[in-house]
Amino acid sequence: MTSSYVRDRLKGVVVPLVASLTAVLLVVGLGWVVLDFFFGPRISRVDPAMLSELRAVGQVVGEESIVGHEWENNYVELNNLVVYLDGNAKQDVVAEVEHRLKQRGWQVSRGEPPEIWLKSARWPFAIVTVEPLKETHMSSELREQVTSTGLPMSNMAYIGV
């Protein structure tokens, strides 16, 4: 009689305890999934209209996007373009890109040769950097895209946003 009494007593305590713990873990787990779904990582992306405007500077011969961690649950997408400035470049490539973007309303916010920084009133939080391709450290994938064109690299500019 004592063993059935103990068994009944254990069933009366253990089963509700296990069921309660399972329910709590299920609710917490589902809550975590829901929070991650609705409040998951935030990725700031470049406005496609701005990218289109930057691409119009010349012939895009290479392009890559990289998502980097900014802080906590925020990420930022960085876009890098390599633009070929056909034979119409009257000056060095950086000055020519600056000239072409100024015609579209961009302003130089800081110039440190050989690199320049540009800002636009249309996209006040974006900073665009332009530098000669030969002085750029780019990924091997982007370098492969550029060299496969066979175009002279001296007429190419690296645009980062």
Side-chain angles (χ1 to χ4, degrees):
M1 186 176 229
T2 39
S3 69
S4 68
Y5 175 75
V6 171
R7 189 178 26 220
D8 290 342
R9 221 34 202 155
L10 281 175
K11 280 184 185 179
V13 173
V14 172
V15 171
L17 182 63
V18 169
S20 299
L21 282 173
T22 303
V24 167
L25 289 175
L26 187 63
V27 168
V28 168
L30 286 175
W32 189 263
V33 169
V34 168
L35 282 175
D36 190 47
F37 179 76
F38 288 110
F39 304 106
R42 285 178 228 85
I43 301 175
S44 299
R45 300 191 188 280
V46 177
D47 185 341
M50 182 173 70
L51 281 175
S52 180
E53 191 167 287
L54 294 173
R55 288 182 187 117
V57 168
Q59 177 187 350
V60 177
V61 294
E63 185 170 352
E64 70 179 350
S65 296
I66 302 165
V67 175
H69 186 248
E70 198 170 23
W71 76 87
E72 291 182 0
N73 208 17
N74 296 306
Y75 295 82
V76 63
E77 181 181 58
L78 306 171
N79 295 84
N80 302 310
L81 309 168
V82 177
V83 179
Y84 176 71
L85 302 173
D86 55 30
N88 298 340
K90 298 170 184 64
Q91 313 166 35
D92 69 284
V93 292
V94 173
E96 184 62 28
V97 170
E98 177 184 352
H99 173 71
R100 292 178 186 188
L101 287 175
K102 277 186 174 181
Q103 290 177 332
R104 291 177 166 85
W106 289 81
Q107 299 297 320
V108 175
S109 67
R110 178 177 166 193
E112 281 186 23
E115 178 183 296
I116 60 170
W117 293 13
L118 296 153
K119 291 190 80 136
S120 172
R122 286 179 61 193
W123 299 283
F125 299 108
I127 296 176
V128 174
T129 60
V130 179
E131 57 187 299
L133 185 64
K134 63 185 174 199
E135 306 200 13
T136 303
H137 302 288
M138 61 182 143
S139 71
S140 57
E141 293 86 11
L142 186 57
R143 185 169 301 280
E144 191 174 305
Q145 289 178 36
V146 170
T147 56
S148 69
T149 64
L151 296 169
M153 290 187 175
S154 59
N155 282 12
M156 294 183 190
Y158 181 84
I159 302 174
V161 62

